[in-house]
Structure formats: C-alpha cells, structure tokens
Amino acid sequence: MAAPTKICSVFRNGLFNGKVAIVTGGGTGIGKAITQELLYLGCNVMVASRNEERLRKATDEMKKNITSPAELDHMQCNIRKEEQVQNLISKTLKRFGKLDFLINNGGGQFPARAETFSLKGWNAVIETNLTGTFLCCREAYNQWMNDNGGVIVNIIADMWKGIPMMSHTGAARAAVDNLTKSLALEWAESGVRINSVAPGSSIYSETAAANYGDPKIFAYNIPKIPLKRLGTVEEISTSVCFLLSPASAYITGETIKVDGGGSLYSTMMYNIPDHKKSKAYTWKDDEETKSKL
Ligand code: ADE
C-alpha cells in the first residue's frame, strides 16, 4: 500500500496559528482538503456535517495527521435546520472561544431533468445549498462576526452557463454568488469579508467520483479544459486559504473560479438532441401576423 500523502501547504507554517474555523461538509472531498490545510497552518477547526458516523470517522483520521498545535473537533449539523445551525455556532464559540473563519462547503444535489423534480426534491436542494449557507452566515454574524469581524468563504459551482440536469443546484449556487455580494456590502462595516470559490466540475475527488458512480466521467472533461487536465482538491483549498488570509485583505464580494479556464471555453457535457421546434422570426412574419388580425 502506498504511504499516505503528507499534508502540506504553499502558505507559510503558522499562518493561521490560534485562529478558529468552521468548515461545513468538512469530512469529505473539497471540505476535507480545506480542513486539513487549515489544521496544517495552525487553525483550530470545527467540522460539521449531517452524517455523524462518516464525519466522526473522517475526524479521527484527520486528527492522526495534525502536525501543528491546532485542534480538530466535529459536530453533527443539518444546515437546513435553523436550531442546529445556531447550536453549531454557539458550541464552536464555547469550545474554541471565538470564530475567525466560516467556510460554507456543505451542499448536495441529485441529477434529474427539471420537469421531473418534485417540490420536495427542489426544496431540499435549495434549502441545503442556499438556505443552509444563509443560515450559517447569519448565525456566524449575529453570534460573533458583527462584533469581532471575520472572514467567510462560500464554495459554489461552475453554474455560469446553467447546469442542465442539475438546475436546482445551479439556481442555488448562482443565488449564493449574489448573496456573497450583498453580504459583502452589508457587513463590511463590521470588518467582515465574504467571498466565494467556484470549483469547476473537473475537480477530481474520490467522494465526487463515488457520487458519479463512474470515475471515467472526469476524463471526458479534459478536452474541454484549457489547462488540459483535471483539477485537484488542493487547488480549491489553496484558493480558500488565500481568501481567508491577509493576502486578500482588500478583496470582498468576489468569486474566484478555479476551473482550469473551463468556464471560458466549454464545460457542457449535455447534448441537446436535434429538433425543429424553434421557429425563426423575421419582419415578414410580423407583417403576415398583422394582416391576419
Ligand atoms: N452536506 C450535505 N447536506 C448537508 C446538510 N443538510 N447539512 C450539513 N452538511 C451537509
């Protein structure tokens, strides 16, 4: 078996010594990479997720790899539930005494055509990705950041051209992009910066590969990416750490796309079947219509 990869960072040792962060969805994929880099840089982390069993296992594993004085704790929290989010923030404040960073990474969706969504399915995705992010931001602000400042990073998605078969999450993530801008303006006076990171769908993680069920699905992306390779979870984590750090002290309300240039080129894996349902409009058609009135 290959030796486990040593966690490290492009940032200097101790950059976040004594800081405190909450990472939602921090036990898997991108969230786990963010948690591990923060711990490496000395930041105490509370990871939160809905699935307690999986979160505890991930936390136990991550604890073994901590090389800084930082501490890691975990809390079961369904970000759709207002009371659970209030509890996550208050328990973190009790455990670590403050809250410097909030990373809203928890999210979820299922692939389907929009016309087939039940209202329950639609609401579940909007509540997790949009409302859950809002609740975490609001509680972090009301319980700590209004008085003490802080930095928030929202993880969104490559939804710039729509996400066919995932329209619910596309709508929710676009809303978080806009929420980021509004909150940056409203909360600037409290010393809060808030930005987003938008990973491309070409970011490879074992969690994402397992969700897709077909790891090869990632390889289909490569021709459509200007950098001609998949992205790594570390490449998301490093952008998050940049936005949390003083290196971005003059950046707020911004979204960084981490997608190898894919959103500028073509990311569509969705093929629209040939059809003849679109009728052209010309002035001639208009005259004909008027003459019939
Ligand atoms: N990850 C996916 N869904 C979640 C939820 N509802 N709460 C917290 N983390 C999640």
Side-chain angles (χ1 to χ4, degrees):
M1 205 171 74
T5 310
K6 258 201 179 158
I7 291 138
C8 64
S9 175
V10 298
F11 297 101
R12 72 167 163 79
N13 265 341
L15 176 65
F16 294 141
N17 267 359
K19 300 283 188 190
V20 176
I22 291 175
V23 183
T24 64
T28 55
I30 287 170
K32 189 174 173 189
I34 296 167
T35 300
Q36 289 180 301
E37 185 162 2
L38 287 174
L39 289 166
Y40 177 86
L41 293 169
C43 186
N44 300 294
V45 182
M46 177 69 84
V47 281
S49 184
R50 202 172 40 158
N51 185 328
E52 146 90 348
E53 173 67 14
R54 202 163 55 167
L55 184 64
R56 195 179 39 74
K57 267 195 200 145
T59 307
D60 288 347
E61 182 211 318
M62 288 191 284
K63 275 183 180 168
K64 287 187 202 141
N65 296 323
I66 301 176
T67 52
S68 74
E71 289 179 34
L72 172 64
D73 209 341
H74 74 284
M75 247 190 90
Q76 196 275 340
C77 172
N78 182 348
I79 55 173
R80 292 189 217 164
K81 307 278 183 207
E82 189 172 27
E83 254 178 46
Q84 292 188 27
V85 172
Q86 285 167 335
N87 203 29
L88 169 67
I89 307 293
S90 62
K91 288 257 167 69
T92 304
L93 289 171
K94 239 188 213 149
R95 168 74 171 82
F96 291 115
K98 61 179 185 149
L99 179 62
D100 301 288
F101 307 143
L102 168 66
I103 298 95
N104 287 307
N105 168 73
Q109 52 275 313
F110 56 91
R113 289 179 63 92
E115 69 271 22
T116 68
F117 292 160
S118 66
L119 181 59
K120 191 170 167 226
W122 169 266
N123 282 343
V125 174
I126 300 298
E127 282 169 19
T128 301
N129 296 290
L130 173 58
T131 312
T133 297
F134 161 69
L135 287 174
C136 291
C137 288
R138 190 196 68 186
E139 280 311 304
Y141 184 78
N142 285 340
Q143 291 192 40
W144 182 261
M145 291 186 180
N146 184 13
D147 291 333
N148 303 283
V151 191
I152 301 173
V153 178
N154 298 321
I155 308 299
I156 55 171
D158 178 359
M159 46 54 198
W160 313 104
K161 295 177 183 165
I163 318 182
M165 302 300 288
M166 293 265 199
S167 56
H168 41 20
T169 209
R173 307 308 184 122
V176 173
D177 178 55
N178 196 266
L179 179 70
T180 300
K181 298 180 213 294
S182 301
L183 299 186
L185 297 172
E186 290 186 17
W187 295 350
E189 66 185 47
S190 305
V192 173
R193 289 191 303 112
I194 172 165
N195 294 289
S196 293
V197 171
S201 54
S202 54
I203 301 296
Y204 181 85
S205 76
E206 280 171 19
T207 316
N211 282 345
Y212 286 132
D214 174 10
K216 282 200 246 67
I217 207 154
F218 281 97
Y220 302 143
N221 268 316
I222 295 174
K224 298 180 176 180
I225 306 294
L227 298 189
K228 296 292 173 186
R229 65 170 175 83
L230 299 180
T232 66
V233 290
E234 289 90 334
E235 285 166 333
I236 304 302
S237 171
T238 206
S239 291
V240 171
C241 288
F242 163 72
L243 288 171
L244 295 174
S245 80
S248 67
Y250 205 52
I251 301 176
T252 196
E254 190 52 82
T255 295
I256 302 181
K257 294 172 188 161
V258 185
D259 62 5
S263 58
L264 292 174
Y265 192 45
S266 173
T267 52
M268 283 290 165
M269 303 230 297
Y270 183 76
N271 286 319
I272 298 163
D274 283 341
H275 65 85
K276 294 198 168 25
K277 294 277 173 68
S278 172
K279 290 199 174 58
Y281 167 80
T282 67
W283 289 336
K284 193 164 150 279
D285 301 330
D286 211 39
E287 278 162 21
E288 279 172 13
T289 311
K290 274 186 213 148
S291 71
K292 283 183 200 149
L293 291 176

